[in-house]
Amino acid sequence: MFEFSVTATDGKARTGVLRTGHGEVATPVFMPCGTCGAVKGVTPDQLRDTGTQIVLANAYHLMLRPGADAVAEMGGLHKMMAWGGPILTDSGGYQVFSLSSLRKISDAGVVFQSHINGDTVNLTPEKCMDVQTRLGADIIMQLDECPPADADKEQVAQAVKRSAEWAGRCKAAWERADEGQALFGIQQGGIFTDLRARSIESLVELDLPGYAVGGLSVGEGHEKMKAILEHTDGQFPRGKPRYLMGVGEPRDIIAAVACGIDMMDCVIPTRNGRNAQAFTWNGRIKLRNAAFAGDTKPLDEKCTCYTCRNFSRAVLRHYFQAGEMLAATLVTIHNLAFFSQLMSEIRQAISDGQLQSRSRKWMEQMYPVGGTDL
Ligand SMILES: [Zn+2]
């Protein structure tokens, strides 16, 4: 089961509801990453208490270890992760191109060496669908070719053409499997507006349940990303969800939502949490900084998360300095709760028709001109 409806708009931004077999998701939504089938450092109960609605797992990592069949034998991803809510799996395409060595790409698919044990793995669009069917997520992604950030226009055009062909093959395999999962196509095209337009046109012809913007957040920078996303609302169908892959810096989230994006994912809240960095409405806090040694305030005065209700900055800093593993868990809980609160405020602002003015205020607080992170 999969449905999407837009519930309110404010400029290009919109709120909506995704209905899946594992519950509803209010959009715009941020999806934390459970890369290997676990969101690092937190239990599923803690994850739910942060307001997280949907999580992402990586097909590439799970396919290599423990293997899609092993996950199926564990009862599928929802059972394995003890997470009853919606799950999205990426196709593995991005990781094949960023993590593995000795890739050989052809129209048939991509052959690569596992970064874990060096095994040769053959990933085709059909295999990619088979893996994601076995994993059993609610939303699955097509196999796409992700050209490097410095690729020239000809290379990017080739990737657009190949990704479109692979989308067609993924759709055929997905229809044969008929497992009730929602398949999303992935737009490529780098920083070239005409290639982006060509890419989404060929995907829309396939009439898929949703569409993603791929190949951004690869080092092109905030302004270039915004310039590309400006065209998204005009290029993508209004009635389908739009997912911007790999984006999680609050400034990028706010800009993407203003361009009509509904879903995003990133490792930022969890990875930074483990590295003693907390997100707040007044910018990032680096807890290793000695300035926090005597700071009895919570990470964020407005935050109502478990960590902010019970621990001061001074205590959290001490835990990091002492190497206590609880430190990583507590700041991860806060960061995930902060991202949930940010998305909730964004949804409220869209409903109120106030996204632009409130975004300006949030940006001034989080990224003061001439200011530096503490
Ligand atoms: Zn908090």
Side-chain angles (χ1 to χ4, degrees), residues 303-353:
C303 183
T304 55
C305 83
Y306 173 79
T307 302
C308 289
R309 289 199 313 272
N310 292 286
F311 298 90
S312 68
R313 296 171 175 188
V315 174
L316 294 168
R317 179 177 189 279
H318 161 67
Y319 285 170
F320 273 108
Q321 296 302 95
E324 288 293 340
M325 58 194 280
L326 185 58
T329 293
L330 290 173
V331 181
T332 299
I333 285 174
H334 165 78
N335 282 350
L336 290 173
F338 174 79
F339 274 63
S340 290
Q341 289 162 31
L342 173 64
M343 300 317 293
S344 173
E345 291 286 329
I346 285 175
R347 291 192 296 271
Q348 187 62 50
I350 295 170
S351 301
D352 295 343

Side-chain angles (χ1 to χ4, degrees), residues 208-229:
L208 299 171
Y211 300 97
V213 181
L216 285 183
S217 199
V218 290
E220 73 283 343
H222 180 70
E223 293 306 322
K224 268 206 178 130
M225 177 190 290
K226 263 204 322 203
I228 292 297
L229 292 177

Side-chain angles (χ1 to χ4, degrees), residues 91-94 96-97 108-110 123-126 128-129 132 141-145 162-164 166-167 170 183-184 186:
S91 64
Y94 178 78
V96 167
F97 291 95
V110 56
L123 189 60
T124 62
E126 292 76 17
C128 171
M129 290 296 99
Q132 291 185 82
M141 305 300 297
Q142 75 153 102
L143 182 66
D144 60 335
E145 180 182 348
R162 193 171 268 150
S163 295
W166 287 358
C170 282
L183 171 64
F184 281 25
I186 304 175

Side-chain angles (χ1 to χ4, degrees), residues 52-121:
T52 296
Q53 303 184 75
I54 172 172
V55 297
L56 177 144
N58 290 90
Y60 171 87
H61 290 279
L62 292 165
M63 170 178 70
L64 298 181
R65 185 175 57 192
D69 284 337
V71 173
E73 280 162 26
M74 293 169 186
L77 258 186
H78 291 89
K79 179 82 170 31
M80 171 189 167
M81 296 177 71
W83 173 255
I87 301 175
L88 178 150
T89 43
D90 67 0
S91 64
Y94 178 78
Q95 281 78 18
V96 167
F97 291 95
S98 62
L99 287 182
S100 65
S101 56
L102 298 180
R103 295 183 302 271
K104 229 180 109 195
I105 182 165
S106 68
D107 289 341
V110 56
V111 179
F112 64 94
Q113 265 194 330
S114 159
H115 76 287
I116 295 170
N117 59 12
D119 281 358
T120 300
V121 184

Side-chain angles (χ1 to χ4, degrees), residues 2-9 14-19 24-28 209 238-241 262:
F2 186 80
E3 283 172 14
F4 176 70
S5 53
V6 173
T7 50
T9 58
R14 63 253 196 102
T15 57
V17 183
L18 281 175
R19 292 186 181 83
E24 293 188 356
V25 176
T27 63
R238 292 263 155 83
K240 301 282 177 79
D262 307 302

